[in-house]
Amino acid sequence: FSRGPRPRVSCECARAQVAPLRPTMAEATWGSIENVVNGELIGVPPDESYFSIFLMWLFVLVNLIQGLLGGLIKPMFVLYSIGCGCCSCTTKYASSMGSVLAGRPCYMAPTWWRYGMSNVIALLANGRSRLALFIWEWEAFGKGRYWWHGEGVWCWSYADCQRIVKSDQDRKRAFGAISACVPDLFPTNLLIFLSGGGPETHWATVRTLVHELFLNNGTEAYAARLAELPQKLAEDWKTPQLAQLSDYLRVQKAVSKCLFFMVFGKWVNDEEATMLTGWRTNAPFWILPRMAHRFFFNVGIGKVKDLRIKTIRLVEMYNLQEVF
């Protein structure tokens, strides 16, 4: 078959066709959220390997029985956490604290299986309230100044908490003394993961920028948005009634719209606000260790990854990349 004469395309026309395919400087530096959330996992100890999770499922009935004992009987919970004071071997080889001090090896994974189950049972027994759970743990440890939770020591008094917050902290990628799931659940360099140490640190720089760009109520933009907020909310919620406050989704959407407006100056629609409510409804997933997520087939991590991707897509849709 004859292909006929080949069309002539000018250089200018060819460049015009190729140009849209080339990323702009903003796109090149912005990067890909998919690459971020699907990046190589950081800080996964041996006892959270898939082999460990397989064995955890294999002995699930044993773990459940131990979890019921630890989640309902306070002395058993303390035993699982730090061992027995009368026998140092239980602390070193049969407690979650001993596993942490040993680097969380795979052969000590059973200490975390039963400890994790105990925490879940205790959370359910305390009305699924995290505050009630923490108080229950504190009581289990004798209502003292400190107690063990997750992978570290917790304290409760205002004086201790204030002293720690005001001090220069050597932090790691952890949330509530539990190693964080990075980078799929949490960003790698989240502000609360950065060590403090003075005004020249990375933490201080990021914290200052966050306050100046998003939380500085002394700027004209902030004051203007705050003044406009009641009218925006009134237009969106035309006939508010007290009974409607029991509609959690509606309230969460209103809060999401207000927050997005105050931070970015954009009033999102209902569909976008529904997506943003995921930052509230998915809250229980952030406090779980990777062992729990893998035990439940990473369903929670999948939801959070999808939420993070959709939120970035919303930022891109409103052309807000330059804010970051």
Side-chain angles (χ1 to χ4, degrees):
F1 293 91
S2 173
R3 292 182 296 176
R6 299 179 66 180
R8 297 179 61 88
V9 181
S10 67
C11 294
E12 290 76 11
C13 183
R15 280 195 293 268
Q17 293 175 357
V18 174
L21 301 179
R22 296 176 179 171
T24 64
M25 182 60 70
E27 290 170 338
T29 56
W30 180 245
S32 166
I33 181 61
E34 285 83 1
N35 290 343
V36 171
V37 299
N38 294 314
E40 183 178 357
L41 302 183
I42 299 174
V44 181
D47 63 2
E48 289 186 330
S49 66
Y50 280 110
F51 175 69
S52 171
I53 303 305
F54 169 75
L55 294 178
M56 187 178 180
W57 269 108
L58 191 63
F59 295 101
V60 65
L61 290 179
V62 176
N63 295 326
L64 182 58
I65 292 172
Q66 292 185 96
L68 287 169
L69 294 174
L72 300 176
I73 304 174
K74 292 177 180 177
M76 292 298 294
F77 180 79
V78 175
L79 179 66
Y80 294 169
S81 301
I82 62 173
C84 178
C86 60
C87 181
S88 60
C89 289
T90 59
T91 299
K92 190 173 183 179
Y93 300 110
S95 70
S96 62
M97 184 177 74
S99 173
V100 171
L101 296 176
R104 297 190 61 178
C106 195
Y107 67 84
M108 292 190 69
T111 64
W112 271 91
W113 299 344
R114 68 184 186 184
Y115 178 75
M117 284 285 188
S118 298
N119 266 285
V120 172
I121 298 299
L123 179 64
L124 296 175
N126 284 278
R128 296 186 296 177
S129 166
R130 284 175 288 176
L131 177 59
L133 169 65
F134 300 149
I135 293 175
W136 182 87
E137 291 180 352
W138 170 64
E139 293 173 345
F141 278 85
K143 300 182 180 180
R145 184 177 180 182
Y146 304 106
W147 78 95
W148 181 268
H149 174 84
E151 301 173 56
V153 177
W154 278 40
C155 61
W156 63 272
S157 72
Y158 178 83
D160 282 329
C161 292
Q162 184 184 45
R163 173 179 53 81
I164 293 172
V165 170
K166 287 188 173 183
S167 65
D168 294 335
Q169 302 172 48
D170 184 14
R171 302 188 181 102
K172 60 183 291 188
R173 295 183 178 95
F175 183 84
I178 294 288
S179 293
C181 300
V182 175
D184 42 4
L185 202 65
F186 288 93
T188 305
N189 291 317
L190 193 65
L191 182 60
I192 61 173
F193 298 162
L194 303 178
S195 296
E200 303 301 323
T201 61
H202 186 194
W203 168 83
T205 301
V206 174
R207 187 175 186 272
T208 299
L209 289 173
V210 169
H211 275 266
E212 287 299 319
L213 290 173
F214 300 125
L215 305 174
N216 188 350
N217 57 11
T219 63
E220 292 183 6
Y222 189 99
R225 291 171 188 173
L226 185 62
E228 194 178 352
L229 189 61
Q231 181 62 29
K232 286 282 188 182
L233 192 56
E235 293 173 356
D236 193 74
W237 199 336
K238 298 185 183 301
T239 56
Q241 298 178 6
L242 185 61
Q244 293 174 335
L245 294 179
S246 299
D247 185 348
Y248 294 139
L249 178 59
R250 184 164 192 168
V251 173
Q252 289 168 358
K253 287 194 298 183
V255 172
S256 298
K257 290 180 179 183
C258 292
L259 284 173
F260 202 88
F261 179 74
M262 288 302 300
V263 172
F264 297 112
K266 303 290 184 181
W267 190 262
V268 298
N269 60 37
D270 272 2
E271 183 180 355
E272 294 161 349
T274 300
M275 181 274 293
L276 291 172
T277 62
W279 291 99
R280 171 62 187 89
T281 57
N282 289 325
F285 297 133
W286 274 284
I287 66 171
L288 297 178
R290 190 172 296 279
M291 179 179 287
H293 281 292
R294 286 185 166 180
F295 184 77
F296 293 112
F297 309 105
N298 286 327
V299 173
I301 285 182
K303 289 183 177 181
V304 173
K305 286 169 66 173
D306 183 62
L307 175 63
R308 291 177 66 186
I309 291 172
K310 288 180 178 178
T311 302
I312 292 299
R313 292 287 174 262
L314 186 63
V315 169
E316 293 171 343
M317 188 188 74
Y318 284 107
N319 296 314
L320 298 169
Q321 295 96 315
E322 294 298 329
V323 176
F324 298 91

